[in-house]
Amino acid sequence: MSFYKLWFLTGFVLQLVPAFAQEKQDKEYWFWASQGDSAMFANNPQLANQFFYKAFAIRSPYNHHLYGMAGNFASLHQIDSSFKYLHLAVEGGFKNLNNIENFEVFDLLHPDPRWNRLLEPLRQERAARLKAEGVNIEIYRTLTEAEKAEQRLRHQTRSPKYTTAQKDSISQVLMKVDQTNLANLKTIVQQYGWPTPKLAGKEGANAAFLIVQHADHDVAFQKTCLALMKKHLKEEWMNKSDYAYLVDRTRVNEGKKQVYGTQMGPNSQPFPIENAGQVDERRRQMGMGPLADYVKLFSPQK
């Protein structure tokens, strides 16, 4: 083999080595981070943090995993550690202020002066953004306040710190809140169509999806919204996975097979899926990961 061929091949291999190493590193990171996500979903914050620590030892963490760590520490009443990781998440680019403000587990952080110090720059940034984008502030507030109320109650119905009797009582309140939220969303949709980020801000648009997703007693309205959302599928702001979730929700509500496998049954397995062998390809087209990875999120953690 000539020197130049050897030089070329050596250079080519040396270029591949970092790429292979990076790919291996990413896979190891996501393996442990996914375990952490699953443990969080199973309300086991201590185990979740153990998995996240292993992921963070492999490579720099993603900001949403730092945010998850902050929530886990808050659940464990470790306030200083919660602030540490929340600060790192915000520094790393986690800008979902509504999510931070509405997450019930952070309630015990609110009286601490560090809470407002950390969030005030984000609040100013949000106000400036909404003004610059020409968002309808009344609609924005209606939808985001609706999301805040229903998500908090919905979280409480799943929280282990409430008794069965308390959860039944919370569910009754949630039912009334859902009805009010749905009535408000119907008024908005009748007047403006599907709430886009330009109309309601990206947080308001996301809240609208959550409201209709939980309107299982009004499948006709769910299907109306589905048709409206479909018109926006090719637009950059549209979250295709939201559309996929609502497609499956309406089909399951009508006793039909779902398309994307997003709706889980009581046995922590998806409800029946149409043409199940092609489900991962359909999920990929909607920007979603493999079904097997999604199902793992619902698997009990030991």
Side-chain angles (χ1 to χ4, degrees):
M1 181 180 293
S2 72
F3 168 79
Y4 291 105
K5 284 185 179 179
L6 182 61
W7 172 82
F8 174 79
L9 288 175
T10 301
F12 180 70
V13 170
L14 287 175
Q15 288 176 16
L16 288 179
V17 168
F20 285 135
Q22 182 66 47
E23 182 179 1
K24 182 175 183 293
Q25 190 180 61
D26 286 344
K27 285 182 178 179
E28 290 176 354
Y29 174 91
W30 280 106
F31 172 80
W32 291 114
S34 296
Q35 296 295 311
D37 288 338
S38 297
M40 283 177 59
F41 199 86
N43 292 313
N44 193 336
Q46 193 162 4
L47 179 61
N49 280 355
Q50 291 174 15
F51 288 134
F52 282 135
Y53 277 133
K54 290 183 178 181
F56 297 175
I58 295 170
R59 54 151 293 161
S60 299
Y62 288 92
N63 59 51
H64 62 281
H65 290 141
L66 292 167
Y67 175 73
M69 284 279 279
N72 291 334
F73 278 119
S75 296
L76 297 168
H77 290 238
Q78 297 180 27
I79 295 178
D80 287 342
S81 294
S82 182
F83 270 115
K84 172 186 174 181
Y85 281 93
L86 188 56
H87 183 78
L88 288 172
V90 171
E91 271 193 338
F94 191 90
K95 302 292 186 181
N96 193 332
L97 180 57
N98 285 41
N99 202 324
I100 299 173
E101 290 179 324
N102 298 344
F103 197 8
E104 183 185 14
V105 76
F106 288 141
D107 282 359
L108 78 167
L109 273 59
H110 293 186
D112 193 299
R114 288 175 290 182
W115 178 256
N116 284 327
R117 265 202 315 269
L118 178 63
L119 298 191
E120 188 54 33
L122 295 182
R123 290 172 180 148
Q124 293 177 4
E125 182 181 313
R126 177 177 64 188
R129 172 173 57 82
L130 294 176
K131 183 177 180 181
E133 293 174 353
V135 168
N136 186 315
I137 298 300
E138 182 179 353
I139 291 177
Y140 171 87
R141 287 177 178 161
T142 296
L143 293 173
T144 55
E145 287 300 315
E147 178 191 11
K148 179 179 180 179
E150 68 98 6
Q151 286 291 293
R152 181 164 291 241
L153 290 168
R154 200 157 261 110
H155 175 75
Q156 290 173 357
T157 63
R158 297 190 295 262
S159 174
K161 72 179 182 180
Y162 295 102
T163 66
T164 301
Q166 288 174 320
K167 289 180 180 180
D168 289 342
S169 178
I170 293 168
S171 293
Q172 293 300 314
V173 176
L174 176 59
M175 190 181 302
K176 294 179 180 178
V177 168
D178 280 342
Q179 290 172 350
T180 300
N181 290 348
L182 183 59
N184 289 335
L185 179 59
K186 282 185 174 182
T187 299
I188 293 169
V189 168
Q190 287 169 2
Q191 186 171 354
Y192 298 97
W194 183 251
T196 65
K198 186 175 182 180
L199 174 71
K202 60 182 181 180
E203 300 92 345
N206 182 64
F209 162 72
L210 290 175
I211 293 169
V212 72
Q213 179 79 347
H214 294 137
D216 294 323
H217 59 284
D218 196 339
V219 180
F221 181 66
Q222 286 183 325
K223 294 176 77 170
T224 295
C225 292
L226 197 59
L228 293 172
M229 291 171 69
K230 188 174 183 178
K231 295 177 181 179
H232 298 289
L233 267 182
K234 293 184 179 180
E235 297 181 39
E236 187 176 346
W237 61 266
M238 184 65 183
N239 189 342
K240 291 183 179 180
S241 66
D242 287 352
Y243 178 80
Y245 271 85
L246 192 55
V247 166
D248 283 352
R249 193 83 166 204
T250 57
R251 290 179 71 90
V252 170
N253 285 338
E254 293 182 319
K256 300 177 181 178
K257 290 184 177 181
Q258 56 180 330
V259 178
Y260 302 99
T262 64
Q263 303 303 296
M264 304 297 288
N267 60 346
S268 297
Q269 291 296 315
F271 284 108
I273 301 170
E274 187 175 275
N275 194 8
Q278 301 299 317
V279 66
D280 280 345
E281 174 58 23
R282 294 194 296 270
R283 290 174 63 87
R284 186 191 65 78
Q285 291 174 2
M286 291 293 148
M288 305 162 74
L291 180 63
D293 292 344
Y294 177 69
V295 172
K296 286 178 184 177
L297 296 175
F298 299 85
S299 302
Q301 294 290 316
K302 297 181 180 180

